[in-house]
């Protein structure tokens, strides 16, 4: 199983980024995005089920949108109105549908300048 993230980078406050995570090697039930800022614990940002049900941490509601393409085994995170508080390494996460084994991507850095 492999999860490969892309789309991170440096953006000014108020800007937007779109993260992608291409998964391979299994079929996944829940997919999501976590983030970890320096000195902080890793936190769930958003999750999405195979059927499209979503959940978000309160701090990103109305700004971030998670989506997925089951045919491509890919999950996306559209991030708008970014603030410096969104600066973190963002990790893709996916649970295999048969084994419930959880897998992680390598992480992609998102830096928002003020």
């Amino acid at each position: 199983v492999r999860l490969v993230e892309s789309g991170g980078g440096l953006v000014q406050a108020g800007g937007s980024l779109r993260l992608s995570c291409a998964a391979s090697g299994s079929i996944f039930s829940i997919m999501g995005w976590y983030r970890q800022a320096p000195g902080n614990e890793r936190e769930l940002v958003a999750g999405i089920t195979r059927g499209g049900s979503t959940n978000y941490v309160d701090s990103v509601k109305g700004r971030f949108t998670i989506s997925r393409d089951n045919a491509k085994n890919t999950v996306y995170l559209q991030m708008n109105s970014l603030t410096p508080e969104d600066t973190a390494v963002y990790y893709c996460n996916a649970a295999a549908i048969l084994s419930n084994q959880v897998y992680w991507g390598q992480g992609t850095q998102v830096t928002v300048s003020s």
Side-chain angles (χ1 to χ4, degrees), residues 4-12 15-22 33-35 64 75-79 82 86-92 106-113:
V4 179
E5 299 123 334
S6 61
L10 173 64
V11 65
Q12 289 187 333
S16 299
L17 283 174
R18 189 190 192 211
L19 305 183
S20 299
C21 172
W33 290 93
Y34 285 69
R35 67 186 178 186
F64 290 11
V75 62
Y76 307 94
L77 186 68
Q78 177 66 44
M79 305 186 292
L82 286 159
D86 296 314
T87 296
V89 178
Y90 284 70
Y91 296 91
C92 177
Q106 79 283 0
T108 185
Q109 177 70 47
V110 171
T111 302
V112 184
S113 63

Side-chain angles (χ1 to χ4, degrees), residues 29-112:
S29 53
I30 296 173
M31 302 183 79
W33 290 93
Y34 285 69
R35 67 186 178 186
Q36 187 166 20
N40 290 356
E41 294 186 354
R42 191 173 297 189
E43 66 168 353
L44 173 66
V45 177
I48 185 168
T49 67
R50 193 165 181 83
S53 296
T54 60
N55 65 290
Y56 299 89
V57 67
D58 285 347
S59 60
V60 308
K61 286 180 180 177
R63 301 188 298 122
F64 290 11
T65 302
I66 189 170
S67 61
R68 67 189 284 175
D69 184 331
N70 291 331
K72 295 182 179 179
N73 244 0
T74 300
V75 62
Y76 307 94
L77 186 68
Q78 177 66 44
M79 305 186 292
N80 299 328
S81 302
L82 286 159
T83 73
E85 288 69 37
D86 296 314
T87 296
V89 178
Y90 284 70
Y91 296 91
C92 177
N93 167 280
I97 198 166
L98 292 180
S99 68
N100 283 327
Q101 178 87 26
V102 175
Y103 299 92
W104 292 91
Q106 79 283 0
T108 185
Q109 177 70 47
V110 171
T111 302
V112 184

